[in-house]
Amino acid sequence: MKLKGFHTVMGADEPFQATHADREVNRIASAPELVQWTSPSGVRLDLHLPATVYPPREDTNLLISALGPHHLRQGSSWLEIGCGSGVVSWWAATNGCRVTACDINPLAVATTRGLLAQHGLSARVHEGGPGPAVDGGLDQWGGEQLYDTVVWNTPYLSSNVLEAGALGPMEEAALTDTDDQGLVPRLLELIATGRLLNERGTAFVTVSSRGIGLDAQAVAWRHGLAMRSVASTEFGDGETLQVLAIWRPYVGSPLVSLPSTTSTNDEVLQHATRPGASVRAGHQSAGRGRRGRHWETTPGALLASWLVGSGPSVEHGTLDQLRVGEGLIRLVRSWSGSGIDDVVLKWPNDVWLRSSSGILAKGGGVLFEALSRGDRHRVALGIGLNTRTQDDGWCGVDGLGLDVPLDDLHQAVHAMVASLFERVEGLPKHDTDLDHLCAAVVAGASAFKGVFYRNKAVRVVGVDADGFLLLQDHPSSVSNPDDMTWSVVQDGVEDVIT
C-alpha cells in the first residue's frame, strides 16, 4: 500500500533514540499539510493536518464504504477508535449519530474536535485507546457505555518496520501494531467480556493481509464472536485490505446440551424455532454421515447441529459443506498452532487430523440435511469433531495438543456458523472466497498418499463455483464423492478409503 507522508529511514541508530526524538519534535512543529477529501455524499473537506496526524487514505474510504444506513441512522450511538483526521467521525455525525471518538495522538484529538466544531457538529473526543498501559484504561476513552456501532481502522504495518528507524513515535502509533497481545485480539477480548458493543451492535475493523488479516476470524470465533468480511480492496503489490464486521452470534437463539439423542440434526429439524438454534449431544444413537452412513460416536466429541435455513426456498450444496469444513480447519489450526499438513480438509465434507504419532486420520465431518413440509423447508447443519484420539483409528484434536472444554468449543463453532450463515441487518451475506476454498482443498489433497478418480491416480487442482472437484487434465468437474478414493499410510501400510 502506498503511504502518503510515510517518511524513510532515519538512520542506523535504534528507533526512538534522542536524535529521533529531536526529529519528532521538529515534525510536530512543522506547518500543517493541506489534504483534500471528498465524502460519499460529495462534500469536499479541506483538512489542515499536523504531520503526525493520519490523513484519510484508501483504507479510510474502504471503512466508510462498509457502513450502510443501518449503522449511520439518526440517534445511534457510535464509537470511533483511532480517529486520526476525524473524517469518519465527521461522516457519522453528519448522519445524526451520537459520536464518541478517541486517539492516542493528542494532535489527532485536537484535529477531530476542530473539524466537528467547524461544521457545527458535537461529539465527545478523548485521548486514549485500547492498550496495556495508562492510555488503555477503558474509562478514559470509551467508558462503560455500550455502542451500537464501533469502528477502528486498525494500525496494520508489522512492528519490524521500526527496526530500520523508519517511523517516529506518533507515526508508529498510527501505522503499526506493536501491542504484545495484538490490537485486534485486544478489541475482541473487550467485546467478548461485554464491553463497548451493544448486544445487537456491530463493530468494524480494517485489517491488512500483511498484518493479522483473515486470521482475525479464527481469533474472533475463539472469543465466541462472529466475524465476516464486508469490504475489500487489493493493491498492485499484492496487499489486500479488508473490513471485518464483528457481532454477537445468533442473539436469542439457544445452545442446548443433551446427554443423548438419536440425532442432533433430527432434534434441530423437528424442534428448533429460531435460526441459529443449536443442539449438542453427548451421544447419538443414530447419527448419520454422508449418504446415511452411520456416524460413530467417540467419547467427548463435539456432536452438534444448527438450524441454518428456514423458509419457502432454502438451498444448500457442496459449496456450503466446503465453507464449513474450511472454517473448522482454520479454527483448529489457530487454536492448536498446527500447520496446514496437520489439519486438512478432505473434499467434500471431512476434517482429517494428524495424531501425535504422525498418523493422518479422520477427525470430523460436516452434514447438511433438509426437511420439507408443504411449502416450508428447513435446513440443519450437523458438525462432528473428535476431541480425543481413539485406538480404532479416529483422530482427535488432543493429538494436536489442544485441550478445550466442550462448552468453549461449541461456542467457537457457533460463532463460525453464524459468520457463514446468519443474516444480520445492515450486513451483506457471506461472500465465498473461492480462491481460499481452492487452496484449502488442494492442500488437503496433497496431504494424502494418493488421490484416485474411478481408480485412476489424479491431481486435484481446485473446485468450481458449485464446490465440485477440479482435476488436472480432466474435462469436467467431479460432483459425486463416491467416484473418488483417497489413500493414507498407517503403520507402514497404505490404506485406500472413500
Side-chain angles (χ1 to χ4, degrees):
M1 180 180 180
K2 197 170 184 178
L3 295 176
K4 181 179 177 184
F6 186 88
H7 290 259
T8 54
V9 176
M10 292 189 287
D13 297 336
E14 290 297 317
F16 315 145
Q17 297 292 322
T19 56
H20 303 153
D22 291 341
R23 174 186 175 278
E24 189 74 3
V25 169
N26 292 333
R27 291 197 63 226
I28 292 172
S30 64
E33 179 184 6
L34 173 62
V35 176
Q36 294 179 331
W37 179 77
T38 303
S39 76
S41 62
V43 176
R44 194 183 78 171
L45 299 181
D46 291 331
L47 307 167
H48 296 273
L49 302 180
T52 62
V53 172
Y54 191 74
R57 295 190 175 114
E58 297 97 327
D59 46 6
T60 312
N61 296 333
L62 183 68
L63 177 59
I64 289 178
S65 75
L67 304 170
H70 177 73
H71 302 104
L72 293 164
R73 64 189 187 278
Q74 183 78 29
S76 65
S77 55
W78 229 79
L79 172 66
E80 182 187 11
I81 303 171
C83 54
S85 67
V87 299
V88 178
S89 286
W90 171 88
W91 177 239
T94 60
N95 280 274
C97 301
R98 293 182 289 111
V99 174
T100 299
C102 65
D103 201 296
I104 64 173
N105 182 350
L107 296 181
V109 172
T111 300
T112 299
R113 287 174 178 170
L115 175 63
L116 293 166
Q118 178 186 349
H119 291 268
L121 300 168
S122 62
R124 298 182 300 167
V125 188
H126 304 298
E127 184 180 341
V134 176
D135 282 350
L138 185 58
D139 58 340
Q140 179 179 339
W141 55 270
E144 293 301 321
Q145 178 181 349
L146 301 180
Y147 300 89
D148 298 319
T149 303
V150 176
V151 301
W152 192 6
N153 185 5
T154 59
Y156 47 81
L157 293 181
S158 63
S159 59
N160 61 14
V161 301
L162 302 176
E163 294 174 3
L167 303 176
M170 291 299 184
E171 287 177 304
E172 173 211 344
L175 298 174
T176 64
D177 185 351
T178 57
D179 191 302
D180 290 340
Q181 180 179 343
L183 291 172
V184 172
R186 190 175 293 280
L187 176 67
L188 293 171
E189 186 176 86
L190 285 170
I191 295 173
T193 54
R195 316 298 288 273
L196 294 181
L197 201 62
N198 278 330
E199 185 179 51
R200 296 185 182 272
T202 310
F204 297 86
V205 294
T206 305
V207 300
S208 168
S209 57
R210 292 181 177 172
I212 191 171
L214 276 181
D215 290 342
Q217 281 189 307
V219 177
W221 300 339
R222 288 161 53 187
H223 281 88
L225 298 172
M227 180 181 278
R228 177 184 301 164
S229 177
V230 293
S232 65
T233 188
E234 186 173 348
F235 298 96
D237 60 1
E239 180 187 14
T240 298
L241 291 183
Q242 297 196 69
V243 179
L244 303 175
I246 307 160
W247 70 97
R248 294 187 174 88
Y250 290 121
V251 173
S253 295
L255 273 68
V256 177
S257 179
L258 302 174
S260 180
T261 187
T262 55
S263 161
T264 56
N265 267 10
D266 287 346
E267 287 282 349
V268 164
L269 289 172
Q270 297 289 343
H271 305 300
T273 59
R274 295 177 62 96
S278 178
V279 174
R280 184 179 98 226
H283 179 268
Q284 291 185 119
S285 60
R288 298 179 295 276
R290 183 168 53 87
R291 298 189 182 277
R293 297 169 180 168
H294 180 65
W295 177 267
E296 294 287 343
T297 297
T298 63
L302 174 72
L303 304 169
S305 296
W306 285 260
L307 183 67
V308 294
S310 179
S313 178
V314 180
E315 298 180 355
H316 65 91
T318 303
L319 191 66
D320 292 315
Q321 293 179 324
L322 292 175
R323 291 163 61 199
V324 176
E326 192 276 331
L328 277 176
I329 65 173
R330 265 200 292 146
L331 175 62
V332 174
R333 285 176 188 165
S334 172
W335 224 333
S336 64
S338 302
I340 61 173
D341 293 331
D342 299 322
V343 187
V344 302
L345 178 62
K346 174 183 168 288
W347 182 87
N349 65 330
D350 287 338
V351 173
W352 281 58
L353 309 172
R354 196 173 301 279
S355 71
S356 55
S357 61
I359 295 174
L360 188 68
K362 185 174 178 178
V366 177
L367 178 67
F368 283 87
E369 290 187 298
L371 175 67
S372 297
R373 290 174 176 167
D375 63 348
R376 304 293 295 178
H377 308 279
R378 294 161 66 83
V379 175
L381 161 62
I383 294 175
L385 184 64
N386 296 335
T387 60
R388 304 177 194 169
T389 301
Q390 304 296 310
D391 293 335
D392 57 5
W394 294 85
C395 267
V397 296
D398 62 341
L400 304 169
L402 182 59
D403 182 15
V404 181
L406 271 179
D407 283 347
D408 293 350
L409 185 57
H410 192 186
Q411 287 278 359
V413 177
H414 181 67
M416 185 268 289
V417 171
S419 303
L420 297 175
F421 298 104
E422 185 177 5
R423 296 192 176 187
V424 181
E425 187 175 5
L427 296 184
K429 293 171 61 178
H430 178 271
D431 187 19
T432 300
D433 185 338
L434 197 59
D435 289 341
H436 204 70
L437 281 185
C438 284
V441 170
V442 171
S446 66
F448 287 84
K449 175 69 174 177
V451 183
F452 305 89
Y453 172 70
R454 295 179 178 175
N455 299 320
K456 180 182 177 181
V458 292
R459 180 170 176 263
V460 174
V461 295
V463 294
D464 64 15
D466 294 313
F468 299 156
L469 202 60
L470 297 175
L471 307 177
Q472 190 175 46
D473 300 324
H474 195 272
S476 59
S477 57
V478 178
S479 60
N480 185 359
D482 290 339
D483 288 335
M484 302 296 301
T485 52
W486 313 68
S487 69
V488 293
V489 175
Q490 298 191 32
D491 297 326
V493 177
E494 186 171 353
D495 185 21
V496 177
I497 58 166
T498 58

